[in-house]
Amino acid sequence: QKEVEQDPGPLSVPEGAIVSLNCTYSNSAFQYFMWYRQYSRKGPELLMYTYSSGNKEDGRFTAQVDKSSKYISLFIRDSQPSDSATYLCAMSAQGGSQGNLIFGKGTKLSVKP
Amino acid sequence: KAGVTQTPRYLIKTRGQQVTLSCSPISGHRSVSWYQQTPGQGLQFLFEYFSETQRNKGNFPGRFSGRQFSNSRSEMNVSTLELGDSALYLCASSRSSGGAGDTQYFGPGTRLTVL
């Protein structure tokens, strides 16, 4: 079993839809959780960073962490064609700033106009 | 504020050669991490440098090495290249201050093709 599992998609939704992206993990030591967005031929861009369990909201994006279920989610409201990208979850036991982030394989999202 | 920069952006090498990739972190960032991204394995951690010392290391063979200079710039080297080393190599930097929200910011990557 891989440490982090993420459905690779692809996921295709119409513009304006609510998108739900998820990751599960097996290592209970993970406490720091991140979502990155990666456009084609670019490096990953940090979207959300959360510590431990709970919710965090930033504009159209909401990140949820449920440590008891070892499950994290990213919700995108009012999705736009510009949201079309690969979304990567990442997590760490040591803290987001200290190397060794463990990544999911990414979910490719396409938002159709 | 300038982001993480990586040079070169594209590189083509042949099997058996060696390669050196360079990374300049965001100003004020002291930690530099390197990752390999392939379609099959996704993003995998190579190693992290902080204050010129390797702080963390992933599960890659000794052909992969790195170093960090006093100005926090970092280089990684791959010796005796194999076809399977073809990948996007990403560098990420962080303040590593332990503060809330301190996390890693990625550069655009160097795409290495081994023929």
Side-chain angles (χ1 to χ4, degrees):
Chain A
Q1 182 190 11
K2 287 187 71 69
E3 276 193 293
V4 179
E5 301 275 4
Q6 183 176 8
D7 187 336
L11 181 62
S12 182
V13 301
E15 183 175 354
I18 296 174
V19 176
S20 172
L21 304 168
N22 312 294
C23 289
T24 59
Y25 63 95
S26 57
N27 189 344
S28 57
F30 288 150
Q31 296 190 78
Y32 301 86
F33 304 92
M34 288 134 278
W35 285 95
Y36 286 85
R37 177 175 62 194
Q38 187 174 24
Y39 291 112
S40 181
R41 300 197 170 276
K42 302 283 188 182
E45 168 196 11
L46 179 68
L47 279 177
M48 301 289 281
Y49 174 73
T50 54
Y51 169 70
S52 195
S53 286
N55 294 358
K56 184 173 183 179
E57 188 174 319
D58 184 1
R60 296 185 296 112
F61 299 90
T62 299
Q64 288 186 350
V65 175
D66 182 348
K67 288 188 69 181
S68 63
S69 301
K70 297 191 179 68
Y71 187 87
I72 69 170
S73 301
L74 177 71
F75 297 95
I76 307 174
R77 290 184 299 281
D78 187 26
S79 56
Q80 302 295 310
S82 58
D83 294 328
S84 298
T86 296
Y87 289 80
L88 299 148
C89 64
M91 42 199 85
S92 168
Q94 299 169 291
S97 68
Q98 292 194 34
N100 200 15
L101 294 183
I102 307 300
F103 281 84
K105 285 197 173 180
T107 300
K108 189 168 185 177
L109 171 67
S110 177
V111 181
K112 304 294 187 184
Chain B
K1 197 176 198 180
V4 178
T5 58
Q6 292 187 246
T7 56
R9 292 294 311 279
Y10 301 92
L11 207 50
I12 299 175
K13 292 286 188 179
T14 56
R15 277 185 303 173
Q17 286 187 310
Q18 74 165 14
V19 67
T20 299
L21 312 181
S22 181
C23 171
S24 292
I26 294 171
S27 177
H29 284 197
R30 301 160 65 194
S31 166
V32 173
S33 297
W34 289 89
Y35 294 81
Q36 181 196 66
Q37 187 175 32
T38 60
Q41 299 298 319
L43 261 158
Q44 293 184 285
F45 172 72
L46 281 156
F47 32 64
E48 180 206 4
Y49 286 86
F50 177 78
S51 292
E52 301 178 64
T53 301
Q54 189 177 89
R55 181 160 70 175
N56 286 294
K57 188 178 188 307
N59 295 323
F60 277 81
R63 299 186 297 108
F64 293 83
S65 63
R67 59 177 175 168
Q68 186 180 33
F69 302 96
S70 58
N71 61 358
S72 293
R73 192 177 69 84
S74 176
E75 289 181 346
M76 69 162 279
N77 184 77
V78 188
S79 62
T80 319
L81 284 166
E82 300 177 0
L83 295 178
D85 297 333
S86 294
L88 181 67
Y89 289 88
L90 291 158
C91 166
S93 75
S94 72
R95 288 191 183 279
S96 200
S97 62
D102 186 7
T103 190
Q104 296 178 43
Y105 296 87
F106 284 82
T110 293
R111 185 162 297 279
L112 172 65
T113 302
V114 182
L115 303 176

